[in-house]
Amino acid sequence: MTVSSLSLSLALSLSLSLSLSVDVNECERPGICGPGQCYNTIGNYTCICPVDYMQVNGGNNCMDMRKSFCYRNFYSDNRTCDGELTFNMTKKMCCCSYNIGRAWNRPCEQCPVPSTNEFAILCGSERPGYYIDIYTGQVIDIDECREIPGVCENGVCINMIGSFRCECPMGFLYNDKLLICEDIDECQNGPVCQQNAGCLNMPGSYRCECKPGYRFTPTGQCLDRNECVENPGVCSPGQCIDTLGSYHCICHNGFKATSDLAMCIDVDECERQPCGNGTCKNTVGSYNCLCYPGFQLSHNNDCIDTDECSSQRGLCRNGNCINTLGSFVCVCRDGYELSADGRICVDINECALNPGTCGPGTCQNLDGSYRCICPLGYYIQDETCEDTDECSLTPDICLFGTCSNTEGSFTCVCPTGFQLSSSGRRCVDVRVNYCYTKFDSGRCLAPKPLNTTKGDCCCSAMPGQGWGDPCEICPGKNEEAFTSLCHAVGQVFGPDDQPIDIDECTANPNICNNGQCINTDGSFRCECPFGFRLDTSGINCEDTNECDLGNPCGNGTCTNVIGAFECACDEGFEPGPMMSCEGMLTLTHFLAY
């Protein structure tokens, strides 16, 4: 038979078989795939396994490949376990191996008991130490030495059929709870080393080492070490003191010994904040203080306040310096303000700060103050220029008129017949009227021939008794009204407020009787012609009787005439050049000479 005819025959046979058979749904059997999901196929099924599970038996089962904790003991009464092994493994290795685990995972799950169906399902055998090969399906021995890493640690694992055993080297003892070879601590078995030596356990053995502070000698003894000699600088910068089996350090200032007194280390003085108002910088054996501004280093190496007021000349000029902690404050005097750096007091320019501080006046800044220079008509009050009320301040201003105050000045309003002086401060009476020379029985009499002003009438050196119509009595020179009207005797106030002399000679043409009137400053005088003399009134020139003044005619008879005299000479005499009678010269006289 050929291959093709054989294939055809098998296909026909299979087709016939399928047409006669009904597929069994294995997935209907509970737990057939364990933790996996079963999918039925024609004549078979497949297990879809979860993560950490592996398909076995051609996909008909799921093997748990998770590795977790394995426990030596399980307590069924409270479902707890202990004796945790130091290495992780799969549940099958933990539960199926010989004398390995009683529980697995966390929280722990009890391993199935041998010779039970659960054990057989997990291990494939009812006896511990065996499992089913996933490829051949045969029950084979579990090689615990190869499959379980860490078993028989520190020793030799020997696999046996259905079991294993551990052989531990010398110095180790088998721990059947942890399944490892544990080191025997020989140092726990009483004194095993010489005096001043310590026992040091080692894996599988031990050794003796001299205690700290001792040295091993060739004879096998542990003798005291002199650390101070062996390490000269061990306590630097302190002093080394040797003791039995040790030493200790006595440290200098700025250093402290370590807790075991084995060395001197720098003391960080900055930890106690010794600088106060500064920054501490630690140095070897000491420290430095970097003081904040306003503080200075004291002899105690800390930062104390600097009294800037006493140490810095010129500070707070034009003010008072008040020292504060770490600084100072300038309290400026009136008229000064603090400078931008706060170190001095500078003048306040009140004139620039308050432009109208002096009102209409001129502000002049001064050091620490200012002053107002007021224009005419103003005065200083409360450090500003106020208008002067000239009308109330000077009652006699605008004499003979009405004073009206104005801002910075005043105005005189003069009545009719008065003229304002050029100074504007006086009303000058320019009215012209009678000037009376007599006042009798309440009446003014004997007016002068020329009308005059009241000043010319009443102020003259030859004043009248009254003036005007109706008549006004002229004031006496000692009266207050006289000083208001007259500048002085013989003087009146002019339009420019300056005195003007009164010309009494012009105002009184015949004032000097028989004489000549000479005007003088503030008065006048009468000069009499030859032969006349001024009488006691000062205005009358009366005839001089020369004949009463000795014998002006000499050898003759004197006869007085108005303004002169005449001589009637005796016989033999005749008037000479000087009006006296002189003897006549004869020819006899000439001959005699």
Side-chain angles (χ1 to χ4, degrees):
M1 183 179 292
T2 65
V3 175
S4 58
S5 60
L6 179 60
S7 299
L8 181 58
S9 177
L10 290 173
L12 291 172
S13 177
L14 179 60
S15 176
L16 180 61
S17 175
L18 289 174
S19 64
L20 298 176
S21 302
V22 177
D23 178 56
V24 175
N25 187 357
E26 293 87 353
C27 295
E28 293 179 351
R29 293 165 52 191
I32 190 170
C33 286
Q37 185 174 1
C38 178
Y39 284 90
N40 187 58
T41 60
I42 301 299
N44 204 348
Y45 67 96
T46 299
C47 292
I48 304 301
C49 301
V51 179
D52 293 329
Y53 284 78
M54 185 178 69
Q55 285 183 338
V56 294
N57 298 332
N60 291 141
N61 208 338
C62 292
M63 178 181 290
D64 190 356
M65 301 303 293
R66 295 175 298 165
K67 290 187 177 182
S68 188
F69 303 98
C70 185
Y71 303 93
R72 295 284 289 161
N73 304 307
F74 179 79
Y75 304 99
S76 58
D77 53 347
N78 56 8
R79 311 293 294 177
T80 59
C81 48
D82 62 11
E84 178 184 324
L85 297 178
T86 58
F87 35 85
N88 292 347
M89 62 189 74
T90 66
K91 184 176 183 179
K92 180 175 287 190
M93 283 298 118
C94 176
C95 297
C96 300
S97 298
Y98 174 76
N99 195 27
I100 294 294
R102 300 289 183 272
W104 176 82
N105 206 0
R106 181 177 293 172
C108 59
E109 304 170 7
Q110 182 181 7
C111 288
V113 179
S115 301
T116 62
N117 289 335
E118 290 82 1
F119 189 88
I121 291 173
L122 175 63
C123 303
S125 172
E126 294 182 354
R127 292 186 299 162
Y130 298 90
Y131 71 102
I132 297 177
D133 188 299
I134 61 176
Y135 300 106
T136 64
Q138 306 231 348
V139 177
I140 60 173
D141 173 58
I142 296 175
D143 187 350
E144 289 86 356
C145 299
R146 180 171 62 88
E147 298 290 346
I148 306 175
V151 71
C152 293
E153 185 179 356
N154 299 322
V156 177
C157 179
I158 300 174
N159 187 56
M160 301 173 66
I161 300 299
S163 181
F164 72 95
R165 77 171 188 272
C166 290
E167 292 187 357
C168 298
M170 183 178 294
F172 289 86
L173 184 65
Y174 182 65
N175 185 332
D176 61 351
K177 295 184 182 298
L178 298 179
L179 306 178
I180 59 174
C181 293
E182 286 185 327
D183 174 55
I184 299 173
D185 188 356
E186 294 85 355
C187 299
Q188 299 296 324
N189 298 328
V192 293
C193 296
Q194 67 272 37
Q195 187 179 7
N196 298 325
C199 177
L200 179 63
N201 185 60
M202 299 178 66
S205 182
Y206 73 97
R207 75 167 182 262
C208 292
E209 292 183 349
C210 292
K211 295 178 180 179
Y214 294 87
R215 57 186 176 85
F216 191 73
T217 63
T219 60
Q221 293 179 304
C222 289
L223 299 180
D224 175 55
R225 292 175 53 194
N226 191 335
E227 295 85 354
C228 300
V229 175
E230 293 180 3
N231 301 303
V234 67
C235 287
S236 178
Q239 180 183 0
C240 180
I241 305 297
D242 185 59
T243 60
L244 185 62
S246 184
Y247 70 97
H248 66 267
C249 295
I250 299 176
C251 302
H252 297 159
N253 289 336
F255 295 85
K256 64 179 179 179
T258 56
S259 58
D260 58 359
L261 305 180
M263 60 185 298
C264 291
I265 58 174
D266 176 54
V267 174
D268 187 358
E269 295 86 354
C270 296
E271 290 181 351
R272 59 181 176 86
Q273 299 180 346
C275 297
N277 295 298
T279 302
C280 180
K281 183 180 180 181
N282 189 55
T283 60
V284 178
S286 186
Y287 66 97
N288 292 326
C289 287
L290 304 176
C291 297
Y292 299 144
F295 296 87
Q296 61 184 353
L297 202 63
S298 72
H299 64 280
N300 292 326
N301 203 30
D302 61 350
C303 294
I304 60 174
D305 175 54
T306 299
D307 188 352
E308 295 87 353
C309 299
S310 61
S311 63
Q312 298 185 29
R313 294 184 60 185
L315 197 64
C316 295
R317 188 171 65 248
N318 301 318
N320 295 321
C321 182
I322 300 175
N323 187 59
T324 61
L325 186 63
S327 185
F328 64 94
V329 174
C330 290
V331 179
C332 297
R333 297 198 293 266
D334 290 342
Y336 295 88
E337 63 182 353
L338 204 60
S339 61
D341 60 4
R343 299 182 63 82
I344 60 172
C345 295
V346 295
D347 173 55
I348 297 174
N349 189 341
E350 295 86 354
C351 300
L353 188 64
N354 301 304
T357 189
C358 287
T362 301
C363 181
Q364 182 182 19
N365 188 56
L366 303 174
D367 191 23
S369 183
Y370 71 97
R371 71 178 179 184
C372 293
I373 301 174
C374 298
L376 190 65
Y378 292 85
Y379 69 101
I380 294 179
Q381 183 178 22
D382 297 330
E383 298 182 348
T384 188
C385 293
E386 297 288 346
D387 174 55
T388 300
D389 187 354
E390 294 86 353
C391 299
S392 60
L393 188 65
T394 310
D396 59 348
I397 200 170
C398 290
L399 193 63
F400 307 121
T402 302
C403 180
S404 176
N405 189 60
T406 61
E407 188 69 27
S409 184
F410 65 96
T411 301
C412 287
V413 179
C414 297
T416 303
F418 288 77
Q419 178 183 344
L420 188 65
S421 67
S422 59
S423 67
R425 301 176 66 87
R426 170 182 288 270
C427 290
V428 179
D429 191 353
V430 295
R431 294 173 298 166
V432 176
N433 213 316
Y434 300 109
C435 181
Y436 297 96
T437 60
K438 291 183 180 180
F439 180 77
D440 187 20
S441 301
R443 297 178 61 192
C444 291
L445 304 173
K448 291 183 179 182
L450 298 177
N451 289 348
T452 65
T453 64
K454 186 176 181 179
D456 288 343
C457 178
C458 298
C459 300
S460 173
M462 287 294 292
Q465 295 297 308
W467 175 90
D469 186 15
C471 181
E472 299 174 10
I473 302 302
C474 288
K477 63 180 179 181
N478 293 326
E479 295 179 14
E480 185 178 351
F482 181 87
T483 59
S484 298
L485 178 65
C486 308
H487 186 275
V489 174
Q491 293 180 332
V492 294
F493 289 98
D496 56 356
D497 289 336
Q498 297 299 317
I500 296 178
D501 179 60
I502 299 173
D503 190 350
E504 289 87 355
C505 299
T506 302
N508 302 280
N510 299 316
I511 192 171
C512 292
N513 188 25
N514 297 322
Q516 182 182 1
C517 180
I518 305 297
N519 188 59
T520 62
D521 192 14
S523 186
F524 71 95
R525 74 174 184 271
C526 290
E527 291 186 356
C528 298
F530 187 76
F532 289 85
R533 63 180 178 182
L534 199 63
D535 66 4
T536 56
S537 68
I539 58 173
N540 290 317
C541 290
E542 62 181 5
D543 176 54
T544 302
N545 188 355
E546 293 89 354
C547 298
D548 291 339
L549 301 176
N551 186 14
C553 291
N555 295 301
T557 301
C558 178
T559 301
N560 184 58
V561 295
I562 298 302
F565 66 92
E566 294 178 351
C567 289
C569 297
D570 294 340
E571 187 177 353
F573 291 86
E574 61 180 355
M578 299 302 294
M579 296 298 293
S580 63
C581 292
E582 297 178 356
M584 295 186 337
L585 296 176
T586 63
L587 183 59
T588 303
H589 290 117
F590 288 109
L591 290 177
Y593 286 105

